[in-house]
Amino acid sequence: VQLVESGGGSVQAGGTLRLSCATSGFTFSTYCLGWFRQAPGKERERVAIIARDGATSVGDSGKDRFSITKNNGRGIVYLQMNNLRPEDTAMYYCAAAPPTRIWPYGLGSCPSEYNYWGQGTQVTVSS
């Protein structure tokens, strides 16, 4: 299993970034996928997840600013980040995990812990 993030960088507050995570080695369309972040000295935080059926959940820190989407045909998951703030500065990681049960297809079958992780991409937002 491989997950490779890209799209990070340095932007000013109010700017936009789109992170991409290219995957291989598992059946992409059947897995739960997520974006997480970790800032220095802080715990890892779940940013957004997307279930097999495309249902999404975005954490409070990204509400109304971030969105997660995926392309099942290409095996890529995206994180669109708008109106970035300095507090969004962190290393962003893509993760994947098989669902905890066959049914339901939505967020209810996504686990709390993820099995597979990428190496991360740095996002730095300056004020």
Side-chain angles (χ1 to χ4, degrees):
V1 174
Q2 267 199 318
L3 298 94
V4 180
E5 302 94 336
S6 61
S10 297
V11 297
Q12 290 195 320
T16 295
L17 283 174
R18 187 175 83 153
L19 306 184
S20 299
C21 176
T23 73
S24 62
F26 63 98
T27 308
F28 182 87
S29 63
T30 67
Y31 271 50
C32 296
L33 305 157
W35 285 96
F36 296 76
R37 70 185 184 185
Q38 189 165 21
K42 294 190 176 181
E43 291 190 356
R44 188 172 63 200
E45 174 189 6
R46 192 179 81 178
V47 177
I49 61 171
I50 185 166
R52 291 174 288 176
D53 64 353
T56 64
S57 175
V58 178
D60 288 342
S61 61
K63 249 358 171 231
D64 300 324
R65 301 187 298 126
F66 295 177
S67 60
I68 183 171
T69 57
K70 62 174 179 168
N71 184 317
N72 284 335
R74 298 183 65 190
I76 300 176
V77 57
Y78 302 96
L79 182 68
Q80 178 69 40
M81 302 188 293
N82 300 326
N83 192 21
L84 282 160
R85 303 167 180 167
E87 54 264 39
D88 295 319
T89 296
M91 186 71 79
Y92 283 71
Y93 298 91
C94 171
T100 57
R101 51 187 183 272
I102 295 174
W103 187 262
Y105 271 29
L107 293 168
S109 63
C110 287
S112 56
E113 297 294 327
Y114 281 66
N115 306 66
Y116 305 110
W117 294 84
Q119 84 290 348
T121 186
Q122 177 69 37
V123 171
T124 302
V125 185
S126 58
S127 57

